Amino acid sequence: MTESSAEHSPSPVDLLVTGGDVVTMNARREVLSGGTVAIGGDRIVAVGSTKELTAAYPDASALDARDCIVTPGLVNAHEHLTGDPLARSCIPDLLPPGASIFEWSVPLHGAHTGDDDELSALLASAEALHYGVTTLIEAGTVAHPDRVASAMMQAGVRGTIGTWGWDIEGGPFAAPADEVLDRQRKVCDAWPRGGRVEGWITLVGHDLASDALLGGAADLARELDTNMTMHLSPTSSDPEQYLARTGVRPVVHLQRLGVLGEHLLLAHGVWFDDEEVELVLASGTAIAYCPWAYLRLGQGVCKMGRHAEIVERGGRVALGCDASNAGDLADILRTAAVAAGIARDTRIDGMHFGAGTAFELATIQGASAVGMHDRIGSLEPGKLADVVVHDTRNITWTPPGDHALHLVWGTDGRTVRDVIVNGDLVLRDRACTKVDEQALRAEARKASDALFARAGVERKPTWPVVPAE
Ligand SMILES: [Zn+2]
């Protein structure tokens, strides 16, 4: 099977990814054994026979993917690119509710300079590529969105950016609703829809926005034909606060304000009741599901989460990793495994939500949830060329099993060897091609110490660290 988007006037092809097992995630979910992906400019031109495509495009450069699995680029639908990466694995895991946010995250965020934001986003983008994540939805904690976008452009990752949007009293970067909306519009104007990095309307969410801001943000997303994202109900606290303030649960309130719809990606949605699940499904509202964050923070996903049900009833769900102190490792394959594990164990049901479904959430279904399925999420002619090569010449893949089972249960992102985004080879032989990783490591260590000092936050080691002599 060789499919081409231009049967009569072949597009120029610059790069062939040759000889791997190509997990297409097309409508038939076909895996081409020993196949080739032909890339011209930023697009996939053809997916098919290695013999035919190498003969048809003799001048194209070749990336040898024999003994490899070739998949679509993975989607991480909720990741904080600033605030946490320079403080990764520093926020203790034994804290009372709210302490991690108010005693750690808020002061650390507040102390970020523009340079920190850019460095932090570069670090997060480079990490994403190492795990085969080619699309990052920025979770909206950005004081300097242009610096974050520059870092994403530099690393070569695809994604969205948003600026911190809330209108509460006294929060860092909080402002009246009109001013917040004005900032959002500026980000979307500067980084328009369809670019490799595009602006989204991004609110902090929870119960940290007035009705005017919530409604205004949804209107603005519709006006600019872009998407909107915000946090909602990872714990019981949002339902409690909305009930106290509005008399109804959060999703019901959002529905009454006209905020729900296909433009909206709600991060979390763990504590939903029956009515909220129905409203999410009926409105086409998407969910970014970050199971590791809820497990790490003890937020009740195993007891309360309805994500598997939403998926199975045709809802739009993508996977996210959240933050470097809430979910920590930004590895979507590891996330896909735990999402499937939670679905199967909590329902005591081994007949539903297998590896195939989990991998769909990381690729084509995830792309759909973030409104990009016409551009990314599968390896098909006409799609943007976001391609990941997983190296099976290692003990983890020996002997290689079923493609879906092995990708989700049998490995994680650590066997990713090469990554192509928009037709550009941005990770080659496990090294970023556009980022000096050694310099990045040195700079990040220095910036992290300076950040803690400036924020007046002291690291609290789990075990005493004592001098060696
Ligand atoms: Zn978040």
Side-chain angles (χ1 to χ4, degrees):
M1 182 196 81
T2 295
E3 285 182 60
S4 167
S5 64
E7 293 288 338
H8 303 296
S9 55
S11 311
V13 165
D14 324 300
L15 177 63
L16 297 168
V17 182
T18 60
D21 281 2
V22 183
V23 175
T24 62
M25 300 310 283
N26 66 15
R28 296 178 298 278
R29 303 289 186 258
E30 286 165 311
V31 179
L32 298 188
S33 164
T36 284
V37 181
I39 296 165
D42 60 2
R43 304 254 161 199
I44 296 171
V45 173
V47 179
S49 149
T50 299
K51 201 171 148 202
E52 283 175 31
L53 289 170
T54 47
Y57 303 107
D59 300 330
S61 48
L63 179 66
D64 186 350
R66 283 174 298 173
D67 287 326
C68 293
I69 311 280
V70 180
T71 70
L74 309 176
V75 177
N76 179 350
H78 187 79
E79 187 69 33
H80 292 263
L81 303 187
T82 62
D84 274 89
L86 292 176
R88 68 180 307 151
S89 298
C90 286
I91 302 184
D93 54 5
L94 303 177
L95 289 174
S100 73
I101 302 285
F102 294 104
E103 289 170 26
W104 291 81
S105 290
V106 169
L108 285 169
H109 267 288
H112 268 60
T113 64
D115 287 348
D116 288 335
D117 271 0
E118 185 164 342
L119 180 63
S120 174
L122 191 61
L123 199 58
S125 301
E127 185 189 10
L129 295 176
H130 275 278
Y131 293 129
V133 170
T134 53
T135 298
L136 277 174
I137 305 300
E138 212 288 321
T141 52
V142 181
H144 308 93
D146 293 330
R147 302 289 299 269
V148 172
S150 304
M152 295 168 81
M153 291 303 286
Q154 190 199 328
V157 76
R158 182 183 308 288
T160 70
I161 50 156
T163 184
W164 193 300
W166 55 352
D167 57 349
I168 57 154
E169 290 285 317
F173 310 105
D178 283 350
E179 199 181 319
V180 171
L181 292 173
D182 205 43
R183 283 187 210 157
Q184 304 283 334
R185 183 188 288 275
K186 283 200 182 98
V187 171
C188 294
D189 287 348
W191 301 92
R193 185 172 175 76
R196 184 156 61 70
V197 174
E198 62 177 49
W200 273 23
I201 308 298
T202 308
L203 301 187
V204 179
H206 299 298
D207 193 26
L208 301 171
S210 65
D211 289 353
L213 180 55
L214 289 166
D219 289 345
L220 188 58
R222 290 189 186 99
E223 180 200 323
L224 300 177
D225 187 27
T226 186
N227 293 61
M228 166 176 168
T229 192
M230 58 179 266
H231 296 87
L232 197 71
S233 299
T235 66
S236 60
S237 103
D238 288 343
E240 283 158 13
Q241 283 171 20
Y242 273 78
L243 279 165
R245 180 169 72 85
T246 69
V248 292
R249 292 179 66 91
V251 177
V252 177
H253 187 64
L254 293 184
Q255 195 246 349
R256 290 182 184 173
L257 292 177
V259 175
L260 301 184
E262 290 187 7
H263 61 279
L264 180 63
L265 175 71
L266 291 174
H268 312 317
V270 179
W271 288 67
F272 281 174
D273 74 356
D274 288 346
E275 187 183 10
E276 290 179 296
V277 169
E278 296 304 329
L279 286 172
V280 161
L281 287 167
S283 62
T285 299
I287 309 285
Y289 176 36
C290 313
W292 275 114
Y294 323 133
L295 294 173
R296 148 81 130 118
L297 302 174
Q299 293 180 318
V301 67
C302 294
K303 195 170 160 197
M304 299 305 296
R306 307 271 293 267
H307 301 86
E309 176 194 342
I310 294 171
V311 169
E312 285 159 4
R313 293 179 63 194
R316 297 165 64 224
V317 177
L319 299 172
C321 297
D322 204 359
S324 317
N325 288 287
D328 301 56
L329 208 61
D331 181 343
I332 281 291
L333 287 179
R334 183 178 175 258
T335 304
V338 81
I342 290 170
R344 296 160 67 82
D345 188 75
T346 56
R347 302 187 298 177
I348 316 180
D349 178 2
M351 291 296 289
H352 293 94
F353 214 114
T357 301
F359 197 71
E360 285 173 357
L361 298 192
T363 54
I364 188 67
Q365 296 297 347
S368 170
V370 303
M372 296 188 188
H373 52 290
D374 54 340
R375 287 181 263 167
I376 58 164
S378 61
L379 299 177
E380 296 178 273
K383 287 258 175 116
L384 291 167
D386 291 2
V387 183
V388 178
V389 177
H390 307 252
D391 193 350
T392 65
R393 282 170 298 187
N394 58 60
I395 208 76
T396 305
W397 282 94
T398 304
D402 172 80
H403 294 94
L405 295 175
H406 215 138
L407 279 166
V408 171
W409 299 119
T411 189
D412 53 24
R414 284 175 293 184
T415 63
V416 168
R417 188 190 75 183
D418 310 308
V419 175
I420 294 162
V421 178
N422 237 25
D424 216 357
L425 195 56
V426 292
L427 188 90
R428 178 79 181 103
D429 280 331
R430 298 187 170 84
C432 288
T433 62
K434 297 173 185 298
V435 178
D436 178 344
E437 293 185 37
Q438 208 180 333
L440 179 63
R441 271 197 299 276
E443 231 184 305
R445 281 174 167 234
K446 223 167 79 187
S448 178
D449 289 341
L451 178 66
F452 274 92
R454 220 169 31 249
V457 175
E458 210 181 313
R459 292 181 175 100
K460 293 192 175 64
T462 304
W463 298 309
V465 178
V466 294
E469 73 262 24

